[in-house]
Amino acid sequence: MPQTALTTLAHAIDLDLLEEAYRRTRKDGAVGIDGQTAEAYTENLEANLRALLERAKSGTYRAPPVRRVHIPKADGSKTRPIGIPTFEDKVLQRAVAMVLEAVYEQDFRDCSYGFRPGRSAHQALQVLWKGLMDLGGGWVLELDIERFFDALDHQKLREILRQRVRDGVLLRLIGKWLEAGVLEEGSLVHPETGTPQGGVISPLLANVFLDTVLDAWFEDVVRPRLRGRALLVRYADDAVMVFASEEDARRVWKVLAKRFEKYGLSLHPEKTRLLHFGRPSPRGPRPETFDFLGFTHYWGRSRRGKPAVLRKTARDRFTRSLRAIAQWCRRQRHLPLVEQHRELGRKLRGHYAYYGITGNQPALSRLRHETQRVWRKWLDRRSQRVRMTWERFWRVSARYPLPPARVVHSVYRLVAKP
């Protein structure tokens, strides 16, 4: 019933659903303000879940504040605040998210890929790549919502939720999470806007909000008024629009800021930009490049020598990955070689698992080469008597080889097996 506001949903949250929510909740995550671990909660699991269910249904559940920590951003210059709920709060948030997903997954537009079951960043990248190739590049409008998770308007979110969900139990729980507060360095604050990054329910609420603000507006209002073809790809609060016509692109760019201001959001004035990404010509200017989901998109040549959109690891992501590897090598240089080799192999394979896409082989090989360089550097510094020369390091590397660069997500395999 996509056009109906549902009034009875809380009955779907029972003991069985809480047990499934518990099963899906990470057990090795950081602890919240109460310090309770997953192991401690599991010792009396059934009684804890029954008590949690009773408090949630009766309205006596009190959402604890989230513990805020800061992690470095991709460029290393700033930090990103992350909120860590308690383990029990994570379980209840997971249960509510499972119920709401059943409602909203049928409503969400196909252009949305972030934090949705069965969808991934690589699918978003593939759709964007295919759209760019079909349009011959066109005009690209990069969207950067300034501090989205901190600026999300609570009242606007409640209005959007009530269009589909009017169950008092669920709305009351969501309201408690929005107003629970943030504990940072012993100080408790209650922000009037925003939803903590790191909360289990936050990605779903963000998708519900942006589906109305951006996705539905683009598909139902903007696209029918355009003269040429256009494409929107969104992953959480990162989005890219592609237009075949410059006139269409500039018209949308002109009204985009007003659309977001209507819902209490603002676009970053420097990171939101319109660029020409047309197919390169021998006499024309070199096409610009843009970043999306950790990849720099640019025009290059395919295997057959024809112009093609290629992707490579964005510079800030490459630097972040290499810096993390270098710091690990410095701190763990005392470990036996076999343990260092095993951990470095895991790090590189994890990097390949995300960045290993067609056309990115040079960047993958470069990271492997730089990893060898920093590994030798810190092996050389763990002893003042025995030097780790390059000649000696190559003998060590022959015995403990790092995994070779590997394209995990191949465009050609996708074409062969759609």
Side-chain angles (χ1 to χ4, degrees):
M1 299 185 292
Q3 306 301 325
T4 305
L6 305 176
T7 58
T8 55
L9 290 170
H11 67 276
I13 300 180
D14 54 14
L15 188 60
D16 290 337
L17 187 75
L18 284 180
E19 290 177 350
E20 177 62 18
Y22 163 80
R23 189 187 67 81
R24 297 188 186 185
T25 303
R26 283 186 57 181
K27 310 301 188 296
D28 57 348
V31 297
I33 62 170
D34 61 354
Q36 186 179 46
T37 63
E39 290 77 8
Y41 193 82
T42 308
E43 291 178 359
N44 196 13
L45 179 61
E46 184 173 352
N48 288 333
L49 292 181
R50 288 187 182 278
L52 176 61
L53 181 63
E54 173 63 26
R55 284 178 284 140
K57 292 291 185 71
S58 64
T60 59
Y61 180 78
R62 298 183 62 184
V66 298
R67 182 171 65 88
R68 175 172 285 176
V69 297
H70 293 266
I71 62 173
K73 285 190 174 182
D75 56 9
S77 61
K78 298 181 180 180
T79 60
R80 185 189 307 277
I82 299 295
I84 304 175
T86 63
F87 182 78
E88 184 177 64
D89 206 39
K90 292 178 185 178
V91 173
L92 185 56
Q93 287 190 31
R94 176 68 64 190
V96 173
M98 291 165 62
V99 174
L100 293 181
E101 277 180 0
V103 175
Y104 283 104
E105 272 302 312
Q106 62 177 351
D107 297 348
F108 287 155
R109 307 303 170 113
D110 287 339
C111 59
S112 168
Y113 291 87
F115 305 107
R116 293 182 57 188
R119 292 187 165 227
S120 67
H122 290 102
Q123 291 176 336
L125 289 165
Q126 177 65 16
V127 169
L128 177 60
W129 176 83
K130 188 176 185 306
L132 290 169
M133 292 293 292
D134 292 343
L135 295 177
W139 291 80
V140 173
L141 180 55
E142 288 185 273
L143 278 69
D144 188 280
I145 306 174
E146 200 164 16
R147 300 174 63 248
F148 169 72
F149 284 94
D150 293 332
L152 193 149
D153 189 292
H154 292 175
Q155 183 59 35
K156 296 290 186 182
L157 175 59
R158 288 187 175 97
E159 292 174 3
I160 293 173
L161 284 170
R162 288 185 64 84
Q163 294 175 10
R164 289 289 279 128
V165 177
R166 294 185 184 174
D167 184 289
V169 173
L170 298 190
L171 292 178
R172 184 168 56 244
L173 286 172
I174 293 173
K176 290 181 178 181
W177 287 319
L178 292 176
E179 299 171 1
V182 175
L183 184 65
E184 183 175 8
E185 297 180 352
S187 177
L188 179 62
V189 296
H190 293 271
E192 297 181 358
T193 60
T195 177
Q197 287 182 266
V200 177
I201 197 71
S202 296
L204 178 61
L205 296 180
N207 274 333
V208 171
F209 196 81
L210 289 175
D211 180 74
T212 296
V213 175
L214 182 60
D215 303 352
W217 173 73
F218 182 83
E219 297 290 344
D220 301 339
V221 179
V222 173
R223 191 195 293 274
R225 291 172 169 79
L226 300 179
R227 295 185 177 181
R229 291 187 294 169
L231 171 73
L232 168 65
V233 179
R234 182 177 66 81
Y235 189 93
D237 59 332
D238 294 326
V240 170
M241 294 180 181
V242 184
F243 302 88
S245 165
E246 179 183 1
E247 180 183 356
D248 289 340
R250 295 195 178 277
R251 286 172 57 201
V252 174
W253 191 22
K254 186 177 180 180
V255 302
L256 198 59
K258 295 180 181 178
R259 175 65 182 179
F260 279 90
E261 288 174 4
K262 179 181 177 181
Y263 290 88
L265 300 175
S266 60
L267 296 174
H268 196 290
E270 297 178 1
K271 296 181 180 180
T272 299
R273 62 186 184 122
L274 178 65
L275 59 101
H276 185 219
F277 195 71
R279 192 185 302 271
S281 60
R283 298 182 180 179
R286 187 174 182 179
E288 298 180 77
T289 66
F290 69 94
D291 292 349
F292 184 60
L293 296 182
F295 291 92
T296 298
H297 294 66
Y298 66 100
W299 278 99
R301 295 283 176 178
S302 67
R303 289 179 176 180
R304 299 181 179 179
K306 296 182 179 181
V309 176
L310 302 180
R311 288 82 54 87
K312 63 181 179 181
T313 307
R315 181 180 299 180
D316 58 348
R317 298 298 183 89
F318 184 94
T319 302
R320 182 178 65 177
S321 298
L322 183 59
R323 184 187 294 119
I325 290 175
Q327 290 176 350
W328 186 90
C329 289
R330 177 176 64 86
R331 294 168 181 164
Q332 307 298 334
R333 61 183 183 269
H334 62 280
L335 293 178
L337 282 176
V338 63
E339 294 185 23
Q340 293 190 43
H341 169 254
R342 180 170 58 248
E343 185 60 29
L344 288 174
R346 289 174 180 169
K347 293 181 181 297
L348 286 178
R349 280 188 289 269
H351 185 89
Y352 301 158
Y354 183 77
Y355 293 99
I357 66 174
T358 301
N360 199 32
Q361 182 81 24
L364 302 179
S365 299
R366 183 183 164 213
L367 182 69
R368 182 180 186 273
H369 171 76
E370 293 296 329
T371 299
Q372 290 179 319
R373 184 182 63 81
V374 298
W375 191 21
R376 187 211 68 84
K377 171 185 174 180
W378 291 109
L379 287 178
D380 184 46
R381 296 189 181 188
R382 71 175 185 171
S383 174
Q384 296 181 349
R385 293 180 300 174
V386 181
R387 305 294 297 179
M388 179 60 71
T389 63
W390 276 107
E391 181 179 359
R392 186 180 177 204
F393 176 75
W394 290 129
R395 292 197 298 268
V396 171
S397 183
R399 184 174 181 181
Y400 301 105
L402 295 178
R406 176 172 174 260
V407 173
V408 179
H409 309 276
S410 171
V411 171
Y412 303 103
R413 283 199 294 267
L414 288 174
V415 172
K417 298 180 180 180

